[in-house]
Amino acid sequence: MTRIAMWSGPRNLSTAMMRSWENRSDTAVMDEPLYAAYLATTRLDHPGLDEIIEAGPAAFDDAITACLAPLAAGIAVSYQKHMAHHLLPDTDRSWIGGLRNVLLLRDPQRVFASYTKVRESVTLNDIGVPQQLELAEHCELIVDSDDFLTDPAGYQREICRRLDVPFDPAMLTWPSGRRGSDGVWARHWYSTVEASTSFGPPPTDPPAALPPHLAPIADEAVAIYQELRANRLTV
């Protein structure tokens, strides 16, 4: 049995990566299991706020218990898509050591440009960059999403090898559409991935220009990103 925690910021490759792992017959996925507890605690203005909290679990202890629960018969891998910013300062971290942790990075300038299409107001903590710096100490692998998209098969093979999970070619394609495993927030955030059937090409255009008020935040985020990226996986 393997429990994989893929930690990232929002507007990354995270949902497509979840699709990839869910297409394995031996894997069950969890879509942002800490999200409801995060919103119940912070009451931040996210799309579908009350609906997400109601869907739960709305307490961190209950969410963590779910992450560590026994797996169903025939399931060998628990793949957990986690947002780094869902770890609040006083959230228990002790359970993280029981998972195989991977950090998924993306250029923060691209994250900001995408994120602000849904939420106009954004801080450094909203996209989880400081938390990623903390999580790097717990992660076996750091993967840059742009690198990954240059060779999805090669990277997935190496990620599986490093995590002691047999590679499955089914991870490279998936049916389009929504999943029962998707969080109730899918209608706000998942339209692009719902139309996808595989990983797309890496972006070639420069990141979109950001509003002036975001420039200092973006500069700080990019500095942390570059520090983390120095230790990224290459294949």
Short mmCIF file of all heavy atoms in Angstrom, two decimals, residues 86-155:
data_model
loop_
_atom_site.label_atom_id
_atom_site.label_comp_id
_atom_site.label_asym_id
_atom_site.label_seq_id
_atom_site.Cartn_x
_atom_site.Cartn_y
_atom_site.Cartn_z
N HIS A 86 -3.53 24.92 2.09
CA HIS A 86 -4.51 24.39 3.02
C HIS A 86 -3.89 24.05 4.38
O HIS A 86 -4.61 23.79 5.35
CB HIS A 86 -5.20 23.16 2.44
CG HIS A 86 -6.08 23.47 1.28
ND1 HIS A 86 -6.66 22.50 0.48
CD2 HIS A 86 -6.50 24.67 0.76
CE1 HIS A 86 -7.37 23.08 -0.47
NE2 HIS A 86 -7.30 24.38 -0.30
N LEU A 87 -2.56 24.01 4.44
CA LEU A 87 -1.88 23.81 5.72
C LEU A 87 -1.75 25.16 6.42
O LEU A 87 -0.89 25.97 6.09
CB LEU A 87 -0.49 23.20 5.49
CG LEU A 87 -0.43 21.74 5.08
CD1 LEU A 87 1.00 21.35 4.77
CD2 LEU A 87 -1.01 20.84 6.16
N LEU A 88 -2.61 25.41 7.37
CA LEU A 88 -2.55 26.63 8.15
C LEU A 88 -1.46 26.52 9.22
O LEU A 88 -1.00 25.41 9.53
CB LEU A 88 -3.91 26.90 8.79
CG LEU A 88 -5.05 27.14 7.79
CD1 LEU A 88 -6.39 27.21 8.51
CD2 LEU A 88 -4.80 28.41 6.97
N PRO A 89 -1.01 27.63 9.79
CA PRO A 89 0.12 27.57 10.72
C PRO A 89 -0.06 26.58 11.86
O PRO A 89 0.92 25.96 12.29
CB PRO A 89 0.20 29.02 11.24
CG PRO A 89 -0.30 29.84 10.10
CD PRO A 89 -1.41 29.03 9.48
N ASP A 90 -1.29 26.44 12.39
CA ASP A 90 -1.48 25.53 13.52
C ASP A 90 -2.06 24.17 13.12
O ASP A 90 -2.48 23.40 13.98
CB ASP A 90 -2.36 26.19 14.58
CG ASP A 90 -3.74 26.59 14.04
OD1 ASP A 90 -3.94 26.50 12.82
OD2 ASP A 90 -4.59 27.00 14.85
N THR A 91 -2.08 23.88 11.81
CA THR A 91 -2.55 22.57 11.35
C THR A 91 -1.52 21.51 11.68
O THR A 91 -0.32 21.70 11.46
CB THR A 91 -2.82 22.58 9.84
OG1 THR A 91 -3.74 23.61 9.52
CG2 THR A 91 -3.38 21.24 9.38
N ASP A 92 -1.98 20.38 12.20
CA ASP A 92 -1.09 19.26 12.52
C ASP A 92 -0.29 18.84 11.29
O ASP A 92 -0.84 18.68 10.20
CB ASP A 92 -1.94 18.08 13.04
CG ASP A 92 -1.12 16.85 13.35
OD1 ASP A 92 0.08 16.98 13.63
OD2 ASP A 92 -1.69 15.74 13.29
N ARG A 93 1.01 18.69 11.47
CA ARG A 93 1.88 18.22 10.39
C ARG A 93 2.39 16.80 10.61
O ARG A 93 3.00 16.22 9.72
CB ARG A 93 3.11 19.12 10.28
CG ARG A 93 3.05 20.24 9.25
CD ARG A 93 2.21 21.36 9.67
NE ARG A 93 2.51 22.57 8.89
CZ ARG A 93 1.70 23.58 8.78
NH1 ARG A 93 0.53 23.56 9.38
NH2 ARG A 93 2.04 24.64 8.07
N SER A 94 2.18 16.23 11.76
CA SER A 94 2.82 14.96 12.11
C SER A 94 2.45 13.84 11.14
O SER A 94 3.27 12.96 10.86
CB SER A 94 2.47 14.56 13.54
OG SER A 94 1.06 14.37 13.69
N TRP A 95 1.24 13.85 10.61
CA TRP A 95 0.76 12.79 9.73
C TRP A 95 1.45 12.80 8.37
O TRP A 95 1.46 11.79 7.67
CB TRP A 95 -0.75 12.93 9.52
CG TRP A 95 -1.13 14.24 8.91
CD1 TRP A 95 -1.16 15.46 9.52
CD2 TRP A 95 -1.52 14.47 7.55
NE1 TRP A 95 -1.55 16.44 8.63
CE2 TRP A 95 -1.78 15.85 7.43
CE3 TRP A 95 -1.69 13.64 6.44
CZ2 TRP A 95 -2.18 16.43 6.23
CZ3 TRP A 95 -2.11 14.21 5.25
CH2 TRP A 95 -2.35 15.59 5.15
N ILE A 96 2.03 13.94 7.97
CA ILE A 96 2.64 14.06 6.64
C ILE A 96 3.77 13.06 6.47
O ILE A 96 4.00 12.54 5.39
CB ILE A 96 3.12 15.51 6.41
CG1 ILE A 96 1.93 16.46 6.38
CG2 ILE A 96 3.92 15.61 5.12
CD1 ILE A 96 2.32 17.93 6.29
N GLY A 97 4.47 12.76 7.57
CA GLY A 97 5.59 11.82 7.50
C GLY A 97 5.18 10.41 7.11
O GLY A 97 6.03 9.61 6.71
N GLY A 98 3.90 10.09 7.23
CA GLY A 98 3.43 8.76 6.86
C GLY A 98 3.06 8.63 5.40
O GLY A 98 2.57 7.57 4.97
N LEU A 99 3.28 9.68 4.61
CA LEU A 99 2.94 9.68 3.19
C LEU A 99 4.20 9.77 2.35
O LEU A 99 5.26 10.17 2.82
CB LEU A 99 2.02 10.88 2.88
CG LEU A 99 0.78 11.06 3.75
CD1 LEU A 99 0.06 12.35 3.38
CD2 LEU A 99 -0.15 9.88 3.62
N ARG A 100 4.07 9.39 1.08
CA ARG A 100 5.15 9.63 0.11
C ARG A 100 4.85 10.99 -0.53
O ARG A 100 3.94 11.11 -1.34
CB ARG A 100 5.19 8.51 -0.94
CG ARG A 100 5.26 7.10 -0.39
CD ARG A 100 6.56 6.81 0.33
NE ARG A 100 7.73 6.91 -0.53
CZ ARG A 100 8.24 5.89 -1.24
NH1 ARG A 100 7.65 4.70 -1.20
NH2 ARG A 100 9.33 6.04 -1.99
N ASN A 101 5.59 11.98 -0.15
CA ASN A 101 5.27 13.35 -0.50
C ASN A 101 6.04 13.84 -1.73
O ASN A 101 7.25 13.64 -1.85
CB ASN A 101 5.58 14.27 0.68
CG ASN A 101 4.69 13.98 1.86
OD1 ASN A 101 3.52 14.36 1.89
ND2 ASN A 101 5.23 13.29 2.87
N VAL A 102 5.31 14.51 -2.61
CA VAL A 102 5.88 15.08 -3.83
C VAL A 102 5.41 16.54 -3.92
O VAL A 102 4.25 16.85 -3.61
CB VAL A 102 5.43 14.32 -5.08
CG1 VAL A 102 6.08 14.90 -6.34
CG2 VAL A 102 5.76 12.83 -4.96
N LEU A 103 6.30 17.41 -4.34
CA LEU A 103 5.97 18.82 -4.51
C LEU A 103 5.90 19.14 -5.99
O LEU A 103 6.84 18.87 -6.74
CB LEU A 103 7.04 19.69 -3.83
CG LEU A 103 6.77 21.19 -3.70
CD1 LEU A 103 5.49 21.44 -2.93
CD2 LEU A 103 7.95 21.87 -3.02
N LEU A 104 4.78 19.69 -6.41
CA LEU A 104 4.55 20.05 -7.81
C LEU A 104 4.59 21.57 -7.94
O LEU A 104 3.78 22.27 -7.34
CB LEU A 104 3.20 19.50 -8.28
CG LEU A 104 2.81 19.73 -9.74
CD1 LEU A 104 3.77 19.01 -10.67
CD2 LEU A 104 1.38 19.25 -9.98
N LEU A 105 5.54 22.07 -8.71
CA LEU A 105 5.75 23.51 -8.85
C LEU A 105 5.20 24.04 -10.17
O LEU A 105 5.09 23.31 -11.14
CB LEU A 105 7.25 23.83 -8.83
CG LEU A 105 8.09 23.37 -7.64
CD1 LEU A 105 9.54 23.79 -7.87
CD2 LEU A 105 7.55 23.95 -6.35
N ARG A 106 4.93 25.34 -10.17
CA ARG A 106 4.63 26.06 -11.41
C ARG A 106 5.11 27.50 -11.26
O ARG A 106 5.05 28.05 -10.16
CB ARG A 106 3.13 26.04 -11.72
CG ARG A 106 2.81 26.59 -13.12
CD ARG A 106 1.33 26.74 -13.35
NE ARG A 106 1.04 27.10 -14.74
CZ ARG A 106 -0.11 27.59 -15.16
NH1 ARG A 106 -1.12 27.77 -14.31
NH2 ARG A 106 -0.29 27.90 -16.44
N ASP A 107 5.57 28.08 -12.36
CA ASP A 107 5.99 29.47 -12.36
C ASP A 107 4.89 30.33 -11.72
O ASP A 107 3.76 30.37 -12.23
CB ASP A 107 6.25 29.91 -13.80
CG ASP A 107 6.73 31.35 -13.91
OD1 ASP A 107 6.60 32.11 -12.95
OD2 ASP A 107 7.23 31.71 -15.00
N PRO A 108 5.17 31.01 -10.61
CA PRO A 108 4.12 31.78 -9.93
C PRO A 108 3.48 32.86 -10.79
O PRO A 108 2.31 33.21 -10.58
CB PRO A 108 4.86 32.40 -8.74
CG PRO A 108 6.04 31.53 -8.51
CD PRO A 108 6.43 31.02 -9.87
N GLN A 109 4.21 33.38 -11.75
CA GLN A 109 3.61 34.40 -12.61
C GLN A 109 2.45 33.81 -13.41
O GLN A 109 1.44 34.47 -13.63
CB GLN A 109 4.67 34.98 -13.54
CG GLN A 109 5.76 35.75 -12.80
CD GLN A 109 6.81 36.31 -13.73
OE1 GLN A 109 6.71 37.43 -14.20
NE2 GLN A 109 7.82 35.50 -14.02
N ARG A 110 2.60 32.56 -13.84
CA ARG A 110 1.50 31.89 -14.54
C ARG A 110 0.37 31.55 -13.57
O ARG A 110 -0.81 31.62 -13.92
CB ARG A 110 2.01 30.62 -15.23
CG ARG A 110 3.03 30.88 -16.33
CD ARG A 110 3.32 29.62 -17.13
NE ARG A 110 4.37 29.85 -18.10
CZ ARG A 110 4.19 30.42 -19.30
NH1 ARG A 110 2.98 30.83 -19.65
NH2 ARG A 110 5.19 30.60 -20.13
N VAL A 111 0.74 31.19 -12.35
CA VAL A 111 -0.28 30.88 -11.34
C VAL A 111 -1.13 32.12 -11.05
O VAL A 111 -2.36 32.06 -11.06
CB VAL A 111 0.37 30.36 -10.05
CG1 VAL A 111 -0.68 30.19 -8.94
CG2 VAL A 111 1.09 29.04 -10.28
N PHE A 112 -0.47 33.24 -10.82
CA PHE A 112 -1.20 34.48 -10.53
C PHE A 112 -2.12 34.85 -11.69
O PHE A 112 -3.28 35.22 -11.49
CB PHE A 112 -0.22 35.63 -10.28
CG PHE A 112 0.31 35.69 -8.89
CD1 PHE A 112 1.68 35.57 -8.64
CD2 PHE A 112 -0.53 35.89 -7.81
CE1 PHE A 112 2.18 35.65 -7.36
CE2 PHE A 112 -0.04 35.96 -6.51
CZ PHE A 112 1.33 35.83 -6.29
N ALA A 113 -1.61 34.76 -12.92
CA ALA A 113 -2.40 35.15 -14.09
C ALA A 113 -3.66 34.30 -14.20
O ALA A 113 -4.73 34.79 -14.58
CB ALA A 113 -1.56 35.04 -15.35
N SER A 114 -3.56 33.00 -13.90
CA SER A 114 -4.70 32.10 -13.98
C SER A 114 -5.63 32.26 -12.78
O SER A 114 -6.86 32.30 -12.91
CB SER A 114 -4.21 30.66 -14.09
OG SER A 114 -5.28 29.76 -14.16
N TYR A 115 -5.05 32.35 -11.59
CA TYR A 115 -5.83 32.40 -10.35
C TYR A 115 -6.72 33.63 -10.29
O TYR A 115 -7.88 33.57 -9.85
CB TYR A 115 -4.87 32.38 -9.17
CG TYR A 115 -5.51 32.27 -7.80
CD1 TYR A 115 -5.82 31.03 -7.27
CD2 TYR A 115 -5.77 33.40 -7.03
CE1 TYR A 115 -6.38 30.91 -6.01
CE2 TYR A 115 -6.34 33.29 -5.77
CZ TYR A 115 -6.64 32.04 -5.27
OH TYR A 115 -7.20 31.93 -4.02
N THR A 116 -6.21 34.76 -10.74
CA THR A 116 -6.96 36.01 -10.63
C THR A 116 -8.13 36.07 -11.61
O THR A 116 -8.96 36.99 -11.52
CB THR A 116 -6.04 37.22 -10.83
OG1 THR A 116 -5.28 37.05 -12.05
CG2 THR A 116 -5.08 37.37 -9.67
N LYS A 117 -8.25 35.11 -12.49
CA LYS A 117 -9.44 35.03 -13.35
C LYS A 117 -10.66 34.57 -12.54
O LYS A 117 -11.81 34.81 -12.94
CB LYS A 117 -9.21 34.08 -14.51
CG LYS A 117 -8.16 34.56 -15.51
CD LYS A 117 -7.95 33.53 -16.61
CE LYS A 117 -6.87 33.99 -17.59
NZ LYS A 117 -6.61 32.96 -18.63
N VAL A 118 -10.40 33.88 -11.42
CA VAL A 118 -11.48 33.37 -10.58
C VAL A 118 -11.60 34.17 -9.29
O VAL A 118 -12.70 34.47 -8.84
CB VAL A 118 -11.26 31.87 -10.27
CG1 VAL A 118 -12.39 31.33 -9.40
CG2 VAL A 118 -11.18 31.07 -11.57
N ARG A 119 -10.46 34.51 -8.69
CA ARG A 119 -10.44 35.34 -7.48
C ARG A 119 -9.54 36.53 -7.73
O ARG A 119 -8.34 36.38 -7.94
CB ARG A 119 -9.92 34.55 -6.27
CG ARG A 119 -10.82 33.49 -5.72
CD ARG A 119 -10.28 32.98 -4.38
NE ARG A 119 -10.52 33.91 -3.29
CZ ARG A 119 -9.62 34.22 -2.35
NH1 ARG A 119 -8.42 33.69 -2.38
NH2 ARG A 119 -9.92 35.06 -1.39
N GLU A 120 -10.11 37.72 -7.70
CA GLU A 120 -9.34 38.92 -8.03
C GLU A 120 -8.30 39.25 -6.96
O GLU A 120 -7.22 39.74 -7.26
CB GLU A 120 -10.28 40.11 -8.22
CG GLU A 120 -11.19 39.99 -9.44
CD GLU A 120 -12.07 41.21 -9.61
OE1 GLU A 120 -11.91 42.19 -8.84
OE2 GLU A 120 -12.90 41.18 -10.54
N SER A 121 -8.66 39.01 -5.70
CA SER A 121 -7.76 39.29 -4.60
C SER A 121 -6.88 38.07 -4.33
O SER A 121 -7.38 36.94 -4.24
CB SER A 121 -8.55 39.65 -3.35
OG SER A 121 -7.71 39.84 -2.25
N VAL A 122 -5.57 38.28 -4.21
CA VAL A 122 -4.67 37.15 -3.99
C VAL A 122 -3.46 37.60 -3.18
O VAL A 122 -2.95 38.71 -3.36
CB VAL A 122 -4.23 36.52 -5.33
CG1 VAL A 122 -3.55 37.55 -6.21
CG2 VAL A 122 -3.31 35.33 -5.13
N THR A 123 -3.04 36.75 -2.25
CA THR A 123 -1.84 36.99 -1.45
C THR A 123 -0.85 35.86 -1.70
O THR A 123 -1.17 34.85 -2.35
CB THR A 123 -2.17 37.04 0.05
OG1 THR A 123 -2.56 35.71 0.48
CG2 THR A 123 -3.29 38.02 0.34
N LEU A 124 0.34 36.00 -1.17
CA LEU A 124 1.35 34.96 -1.32
C LEU A 124 0.88 33.65 -0.70
O LEU A 124 1.08 32.56 -1.26
CB LEU A 124 2.65 35.43 -0.67
CG LEU A 124 3.95 34.78 -1.14
CD1 LEU A 124 4.19 35.02 -2.61
CD2 LEU A 124 5.13 35.30 -0.32
N ASN A 125 0.21 33.73 0.46
CA ASN A 125 -0.27 32.52 1.12
C ASN A 125 -1.40 31.87 0.33
O ASN A 125 -1.58 30.65 0.40
CB ASN A 125 -0.76 32.84 2.53
CG ASN A 125 0.39 32.94 3.52
OD1 ASN A 125 1.36 32.21 3.42
ND2 ASN A 125 0.28 33.86 4.46
N ASP A 126 -2.17 32.64 -0.42
CA ASP A 126 -3.27 32.08 -1.21
C ASP A 126 -2.80 31.07 -2.24
O ASP A 126 -3.54 30.16 -2.61
CB ASP A 126 -4.05 33.19 -1.93
CG ASP A 126 -4.92 34.01 -1.00
OD1 ASP A 126 -5.30 33.49 0.07
OD2 ASP A 126 -5.22 35.17 -1.33
N ILE A 127 -1.59 31.26 -2.76
CA ILE A 127 -1.08 30.33 -3.76
C ILE A 127 -0.06 29.35 -3.16
O ILE A 127 0.54 28.56 -3.88
CB ILE A 127 -0.50 31.05 -4.99
CG1 ILE A 127 0.72 31.88 -4.62
CG2 ILE A 127 -1.57 31.90 -5.66
CD1 ILE A 127 1.51 32.33 -5.84
N GLY A 128 0.12 29.40 -1.85
CA GLY A 128 0.86 28.36 -1.15
C GLY A 128 2.36 28.36 -1.31
O GLY A 128 3.01 27.37 -0.98
N VAL A 129 2.94 29.47 -1.76
CA VAL A 129 4.39 29.46 -1.99
C VAL A 129 5.19 29.32 -0.68
O VAL A 129 6.10 28.49 -0.61
CB VAL A 129 4.82 30.69 -2.79
CG1 VAL A 129 6.35 30.77 -2.90
CG2 VAL A 129 4.22 30.65 -4.19
N PRO A 130 4.89 30.08 0.37
CA PRO A 130 5.63 29.86 1.62
C PRO A 130 5.47 28.44 2.16
O PRO A 130 6.42 27.85 2.67
CB PRO A 130 5.02 30.90 2.58
CG PRO A 130 4.43 31.94 1.69
CD PRO A 130 3.93 31.20 0.49
N GLN A 131 4.26 27.90 2.04
CA GLN A 131 4.02 26.53 2.51
C GLN A 131 4.80 25.52 1.68
O GLN A 131 5.24 24.49 2.20
CB GLN A 131 2.52 26.22 2.46
CG GLN A 131 1.68 27.09 3.37
CD GLN A 131 1.17 28.36 2.70
OE1 GLN A 131 1.78 28.87 1.77
NE2 GLN A 131 0.02 28.85 3.16
N GLN A 132 4.98 25.78 0.39
CA GLN A 132 5.77 24.88 -0.44
C GLN A 132 7.21 24.83 0.05
O GLN A 132 7.85 23.77 0.03
CB GLN A 132 5.71 25.33 -1.90
CG GLN A 132 4.36 25.11 -2.56
CD GLN A 132 4.30 25.73 -3.95
OE1 GLN A 132 5.29 25.83 -4.65
NE2 GLN A 132 3.11 26.19 -4.32
N LEU A 133 7.73 25.96 0.48
CA LEU A 133 9.09 26.01 1.00
C LEU A 133 9.21 25.13 2.25
O LEU A 133 10.18 24.39 2.42
CB LEU A 133 9.46 27.45 1.33
CG LEU A 133 10.93 27.78 1.57
CD1 LEU A 133 11.78 27.42 0.36
CD2 LEU A 133 11.09 29.25 1.91
N GLU A 134 8.19 25.17 3.10
CA GLU A 134 8.17 24.30 4.28
C GLU A 134 8.03 22.84 3.89
O GLU A 134 8.74 21.96 4.40
CB GLU A 134 7.01 24.70 5.19
CG GLU A 134 6.81 23.77 6.37
CD GLU A 134 5.45 23.92 7.04
OE1 GLU A 134 4.71 24.87 6.71
OE2 GLU A 134 5.12 23.07 7.90
N LEU A 135 7.12 22.56 2.96
CA LEU A 135 6.85 21.18 2.57
C LEU A 135 8.03 20.51 1.88
O LEU A 135 8.16 19.28 1.89
CB LEU A 135 5.63 21.13 1.65
CG LEU A 135 4.28 21.25 2.35
CD1 LEU A 135 3.19 21.62 1.34
CD2 LEU A 135 3.93 19.94 3.05
N ALA A 136 8.88 21.31 1.25
CA ALA A 136 10.02 20.74 0.54
C ALA A 136 10.87 19.86 1.46
O ALA A 136 11.50 18.90 1.01
CB ALA A 136 10.86 21.85 -0.07
N GLU A 137 10.87 20.18 2.76
CA GLU A 137 11.64 19.38 3.71
C GLU A 137 11.06 17.98 3.89
O GLU A 137 11.76 17.07 4.33
CB GLU A 137 11.69 20.10 5.06
CG GLU A 137 12.33 21.48 5.01
CD GLU A 137 12.33 22.17 6.35
OE1 GLU A 137 11.95 21.52 7.36
OE2 GLU A 137 12.70 23.36 6.41
N HIS A 138 9.78 17.80 3.56
CA HIS A 138 9.12 16.51 3.72
C HIS A 138 9.02 15.73 2.40
O HIS A 138 8.59 14.57 2.40
CB HIS A 138 7.70 16.71 4.26
CG HIS A 138 7.63 17.41 5.58
ND1 HIS A 138 7.80 16.75 6.78
CD2 HIS A 138 7.43 18.72 5.90
CE1 HIS A 138 7.70 17.62 7.78
NE2 HIS A 138 7.47 18.82 7.27
N CYS A 139 9.37 16.37 1.29
CA CYS A 139 9.10 15.79 -0.03
C CYS A 139 10.29 15.02 -0.58
O CYS A 139 11.43 15.50 -0.54
CB CYS A 139 8.69 16.88 -1.01
SG CYS A 139 7.04 17.54 -0.67
N GLU A 140 10.01 13.85 -1.12
CA GLU A 140 11.04 13.05 -1.77
C GLU A 140 11.39 13.59 -3.15
O GLU A 140 12.51 13.40 -3.63
CB GLU A 140 10.56 11.60 -1.92
CG GLU A 140 10.18 10.92 -0.63
CD GLU A 140 9.61 9.54 -0.88
OE1 GLU A 140 10.23 8.77 -1.64
OE2 GLU A 140 8.55 9.23 -0.31
N LEU A 141 10.41 14.21 -3.79
CA LEU A 141 10.58 14.69 -5.15
C LEU A 141 10.02 16.08 -5.28
O LEU A 141 9.00 16.42 -4.65
CB LEU A 141 9.85 13.78 -6.15
CG LEU A 141 10.31 12.33 -6.27
CD1 LEU A 141 9.32 11.55 -7.13
CD2 LEU A 141 11.69 12.27 -6.87
N ILE A 142 10.66 16.88 -6.11
CA ILE A 142 10.13 18.18 -6.52
C ILE A 142 10.04 18.16 -8.04
O ILE A 142 11.03 17.89 -8.72
CB ILE A 142 11.03 19.34 -6.06
CG1 ILE A 142 11.09 19.38 -4.52
CG2 ILE A 142 10.53 20.66 -6.62
CD1 ILE A 142 12.03 20.44 -3.97
N VAL A 143 8.83 18.37 -8.55
CA VAL A 143 8.57 18.28 -9.99
C VAL A 143 8.08 19.63 -10.49
O VAL A 143 7.14 20.19 -9.91
CB VAL A 143 7.53 17.19 -10.30
CG1 VAL A 143 7.25 17.11 -11.80
CG2 VAL A 143 7.99 15.84 -9.75
N ASP A 144 8.71 20.15 -11.52
CA ASP A 144 8.23 21.38 -12.15
C ASP A 144 7.25 21.01 -13.26
O ASP A 144 7.56 20.19 -14.12
CB ASP A 144 9.40 22.18 -12.72
CG ASP A 144 8.98 23.55 -13.21
OD1 ASP A 144 8.36 23.61 -14.30
OD2 ASP A 144 9.24 24.55 -12.53
N SER A 145 6.07 21.61 -13.24
CA SER A 145 5.03 21.21 -14.19
C SER A 145 5.43 21.48 -15.64
O SER A 145 5.09 20.70 -16.54
CB SER A 145 3.71 21.90 -13.87
OG SER A 145 3.83 23.30 -13.95
N ASP A 146 6.14 22.58 -15.89
CA ASP A 146 6.57 22.86 -17.26
C ASP A 146 7.56 21.81 -17.75
O ASP A 146 7.49 21.35 -18.90
CB ASP A 146 7.20 24.25 -17.36
CG ASP A 146 6.16 25.36 -17.34
OD1 ASP A 146 4.95 25.04 -17.30
OD2 ASP A 146 6.55 26.54 -17.37
N ASP A 147 8.48 21.40 -16.89
CA ASP A 147 9.39 20.31 -17.24
C ASP A 147 8.61 19.04 -17.53
O ASP A 147 8.86 18.34 -18.52
CB ASP A 147 10.37 20.03 -16.10
CG ASP A 147 11.40 21.11 -15.89
OD1 ASP A 147 11.57 21.95 -16.79
OD2 ASP A 147 12.05 21.10 -14.82
N PHE A 148 7.67 18.72 -16.64
CA PHE A 148 6.87 17.50 -16.77
C PHE A 148 6.20 17.43 -18.14
O PHE A 148 6.19 16.37 -18.79
CB PHE A 148 5.83 17.43 -15.66
CG PHE A 148 4.95 16.22 -15.70
CD1 PHE A 148 5.25 15.11 -14.94
CD2 PHE A 148 3.80 16.21 -16.49
CE1 PHE A 148 4.44 13.98 -14.99
CE2 PHE A 148 2.98 15.09 -16.53
CZ PHE A 148 3.30 13.97 -15.78
N LEU A 149 5.66 18.55 -18.59
CA LEU A 149 4.91 18.55 -19.85
C LEU A 149 5.79 18.39 -21.08
O LEU A 149 5.27 18.12 -22.17
CB LEU A 149 4.09 19.84 -19.96
CG LEU A 149 2.93 19.95 -18.97
CD1 LEU A 149 2.27 21.31 -19.06
CD2 LEU A 149 1.90 18.84 -19.20
N THR A 150 7.09 18.51 -20.93
CA THR A 150 7.97 18.24 -22.06
C THR A 150 8.09 16.74 -22.33
O THR A 150 8.40 16.32 -23.44
CB THR A 150 9.39 18.80 -21.84
OG1 THR A 150 10.01 18.12 -20.73
CG2 THR A 150 9.34 20.30 -21.57
N ASP A 151 7.80 15.91 -21.31
CA ASP A 151 7.92 14.46 -21.45
C ASP A 151 7.08 13.76 -20.38
O ASP A 151 7.63 13.19 -19.43
CB ASP A 151 9.40 14.05 -21.33
CG ASP A 151 9.63 12.56 -21.54
OD1 ASP A 151 8.69 11.85 -21.97
OD2 ASP A 151 10.76 12.11 -21.28
N PRO A 152 5.75 13.82 -20.48
CA PRO A 152 4.91 13.21 -19.44
C PRO A 152 5.21 11.74 -19.19
O PRO A 152 5.23 11.31 -18.03
CB PRO A 152 3.49 13.41 -19.98
CG PRO A 152 3.60 14.61 -20.87
CD PRO A 152 4.95 14.50 -21.51
N ALA A 153 5.43 10.97 -20.25
CA ALA A 153 5.70 9.55 -20.06
C ALA A 153 6.99 9.34 -19.30
O ALA A 153 7.06 8.52 -18.36
CB ALA A 153 5.76 8.84 -21.42
N GLY A 154 8.02 10.07 -19.68
CA GLY A 154 9.30 9.92 -19.00
C GLY A 154 9.23 10.33 -17.54
O GLY A 154 9.77 9.65 -16.65
N TYR A 155 8.55 11.44 -17.27
CA TYR A 155 8.44 11.89 -15.89
C TYR A 155 7.56 10.97 -15.06
O TYR A 155 7.89 10.66 -13.90
CB TYR A 155 7.92 13.33 -15.84
CG TYR A 155 9.02 14.35 -15.93
CD1 TYR A 155 9.45 14.83 -17.16
CD2 TYR A 155 9.67 14.81 -14.79
CE1 TYR A 155 10.48 15.75 -17.26
CE2 TYR A 155 10.70 15.74 -14.87
CZ TYR A 155 11.11 16.21 -16.10
OH TYR A 155 12.15 17.11 -16.19
#
